[in-house]
Amino acid sequence: MDQRTPVRRTARAASLALLVLMTTTGCTGGVGGTPGAAGLRDPYFPRAGNGGYDVTHYDLALDADPAAGRLRGTATITARATQDLSAFNLDLAGLTVGSATVEGRPAAVNRAGHELTLRPDAEVESRLRKGRTFRTVVHYSGSPQTLTDPDRSKEGWLRTADGSVALGEPVGAMAWFPGNNHPSDKATYDIAVTVPKGLTAVSNGELTSRRTSGDTATYHWHVAEPMASYLATVAIGRFDTKTSTTPDGIKVFTAAERTVAAQSARILARVPEVVAWEAERFGPYPFSAAGAIIDRSGDAGYALETQNRPFFPGPPGAGLLVHEMAHQWFGNSVTPKSWRDMWLNEGFATYAEWLWEDDQDGNPVQKRFDAAFDDDDNWAFPPADPPTAADISQAPVYGRGAMVIHRIRQAVGDDKRFFALVRGWTKAHRHGNASTADFTAYVEKTTGKDLTELWNTWLYGRSRPASKG
């Protein structure tokens, strides 16, 4: 995302009664399964996500009425059990669950805060063995929530001047659909959104159909490549849309809210140019679709790298467009294993801005590095070890993260080899997850250098070194 005082919201702990229930009834009907964990123990959001299964596909059917502030949804979740399960959890904030089934059979649903615990009947539990694929359907409705992060910024389901937008970093996806809400569990998606006629619903991936019925229109979007839940979006409003295809066959879909469409036209026309420029440096564009969504200024407090088409509150400058499009490689394709690895997203995206300014405007990368070095804010904490959830999108993660990348480039000593290293990284972890430890090991193996001093000083050091060299 663009640099903001981000917010990372700690999830509520489940009630003691639910914990007792889950630990004392781990076996139903003598089958021998145990409940999946209610949380993945992320260093900053320990209750985010759930254990015991991996989601492979979400099929979301949404009926949205932005004027009334109402949402009705059906989530069909296909997942693979990673243990023998007697129960499992989904993350859902605020919305009311009407019913749920697992493998076509009614499932009991318990709730504690944003944690849903689904307990299938004995017949179904016998099918939830490790390695087996199972399907869960949840029907839900209500007024989707806007969530407040620790730094007071907003995520989840946000009302806009003429509709709404869903923004999910880090945990806001649970405001509009139930799921395994952690970046380590990526899945493909189908998102069908029904809205009042006259409004457009824009989401991730490719638009596969648009149909009207009476006073409504339904837009069906398909995401063929794995996507983390925090990158899913739905933007509803009165948009001017344009479609095109790049020479490489990438389908470009842009949407600009009508009052800012004229101002946005020039920057939106540069999306294919930016994609091609970044592909030359970072490797082939990792998705079949690209684009952007531009809403009115003030509809949100920040831009976000939502997969395939980043969201912007008002027309962005070229640098911000470059930053959010760079996230398609760093963050969206190569996704962090935990929120502690956020600097891998933001450090590379910020460095992409520096590279663009050097290439397009003649502003040397070294000059940007020197300015970042002199900025006290970048030395508040190590980029690979933010002190709290409220800090994972603060200045060191961006500016000092970019300095780490530049120091690697200097250590390599040859631009051809450096960009080969970057392209190798995005290829090795394409559509997967990676940690800081994965990255440092990869860099040392690829360069054949012991970079312990670099990591200790720039990535983990708690004070500014005496010199920039």
Side-chain angles (χ1 to χ4, degrees):
M1 70 176 65
D2 68 329
Q3 188 161 347
R4 56 174 178 137
T5 311
V7 232
R8 308 312 163 206
R9 178 177 177 288
T10 352
R12 299 188 192 112
S15 70
L16 179 60
L18 178 60
L19 290 174
V20 172
L21 174 67
M22 292 177 67
T23 56
T24 59
T25 60
C27 181
T28 303
V31 176
T34 56
L40 294 177
R41 298 189 178 184
D42 184 272
Y44 302 104
F45 304 96
R47 302 290 293 176
N50 304 285
Y53 65 93
D54 287 324
V55 178
T56 57
H57 187 71
Y58 291 94
D59 192 329
L60 306 177
L62 309 175
D63 192 332
D65 186 345
R70 300 289 295 176
L71 179 69
R72 188 169 69 247
T74 298
T76 302
I77 304 167
T78 304
R80 181 181 58 84
T82 58
Q83 67 180 62
D84 293 349
L85 286 170
S86 62
F88 60 93
N89 281 30
L90 297 170
D91 301 306
L92 183 67
L95 297 165
T96 300
V97 175
S99 64
T101 62
V102 179
E103 287 293 275
R105 300 272 296 177
V109 180
N110 295 312
R111 185 164 203 162
H114 75 261
E115 292 285 351
L116 301 180
T117 302
L118 278 66
R119 187 173 298 280
D121 63 23
E123 178 183 333
V124 170
E125 186 191 335
S126 66
R127 305 178 212 169
L128 302 188
R129 305 278 67 85
K130 182 177 180 180
R132 295 281 296 274
T133 296
F134 63 97
R135 181 168 295 182
T136 302
V137 180
V138 180
H139 300 278
Y140 59 99
S141 62
S143 298
Q145 297 181 350
T146 298
L147 308 178
T148 302
D149 287 337
D151 67 352
R152 314 311 299 169
S153 62
K154 306 295 183 181
E155 62 168 326
W157 193 268
L158 284 65
R159 290 204 178 193
T160 63
D162 60 355
S164 54
V165 63
L167 301 176
E169 188 178 35
V171 296
M174 64 183 178
W176 59 283
F177 70 95
N180 199 12
N181 194 24
H182 191 267
S184 62
D185 192 2
K186 300 167 71 170
T188 56
Y189 284 70
D190 280 283
I191 304 174
V193 190
T194 300
V195 294
K197 193 179 290 185
L199 298 179
T200 301
V202 184
S203 189
N204 311 89
E206 297 182 29
L207 180 64
T208 60
S209 69
R210 177 189 180 277
R211 64 180 186 277
T212 59
S213 177
D215 294 330
T216 64
T218 300
Y219 295 80
H220 185 175
W221 297 85
H222 177 65
V223 183
E225 300 91 1
M227 178 169 72
S229 57
Y230 81 91
L231 298 169
T233 190
V234 171
I236 300 169
R238 300 183 186 279
F239 291 106
D240 283 353
T241 64
K242 291 186 178 180
T243 60
S244 62
T245 303
T246 72
D248 294 331
I250 299 164
K251 296 181 179 179
V252 179
F253 183 101
T254 62
E257 199 275 339
R258 289 178 182 174
T259 63
V260 297
Q263 303 165 256
S264 304
R266 181 172 295 180
I267 192 66
L268 288 178
R270 301 194 75 176
V271 168
E273 174 194 356
V274 170
V275 168
W277 182 88
E278 293 184 330
E280 184 178 344
R281 287 151 183 81
F282 308 143
Y285 182 72
F287 304 111
S288 62
I293 302 167
I294 301 180
D295 236 317
R296 300 188 195 190
S297 177
D299 281 345
Y302 52 89
L304 189 65
E305 62 268 23
T306 43
Q307 191 155 306
N308 308 114
R309 51 191 54 84
F311 171 85
F312 301 94
L320 183 55
L321 178 64
V322 166
H323 181 107
E324 303 303 343
M325 291 306 300
H327 277 306
Q328 306 307 306
W329 286 263
F330 307 106
N332 298 13
S333 176
V334 185
T335 303
K337 285 183 178 177
S338 83
W339 288 110
R340 179 164 282 156
D341 306 308
M342 181 82 158
W343 82 273
L344 284 169
N345 299 9
E346 302 299 350
F348 268 110
T350 301
Y351 199 66
E353 291 184 69
W354 296 3
L355 292 169
W356 174 269
E357 286 190 15
D358 191 340
D359 186 70
Q360 301 289 311
D361 304 323
N363 186 27
V365 169
Q366 186 62 46
K367 185 176 179 181
R368 291 297 306 268
F369 175 92
D370 292 345
F373 183 92
D374 293 334
D375 186 344
D376 292 343
D377 288 345
N378 287 327
W379 299 96
F381 57 82
D385 191 21
T388 72
D391 297 306
I392 64 171
S393 288
Q394 294 287 1
V397 175
Y398 292 73
R400 194 162 151 201
M403 282 192 276
V404 172
I405 305 304
H406 191 60
R407 291 293 293 157
I408 294 170
R409 183 180 179 183
Q410 291 175 326
V412 171
D414 177 86
D415 277 359
K416 185 175 181 180
R417 289 180 59 211
F418 168 74
F419 285 109
L421 179 148
V422 173
R423 290 191 294 270
W425 171 251
T426 62
K427 180 179 180 180
H429 295 279
R430 183 180 175 95
H431 302 316
N433 294 87
S435 67
T436 299
D438 293 329
F439 179 71
T440 56
Y442 165 82
V443 171
E444 292 198 348
K445 181 178 179 180
T446 303
T447 62
K449 296 176 180 289
D450 180 353
L451 299 176
T452 301
E453 184 178 354
L454 190 159
W455 311 134
N456 287 346
T457 301
W458 300 91
L459 192 54
Y460 291 105
R462 298 192 175 275
S463 61
R464 181 163 33 198
S467 69
K468 302 170 185 177

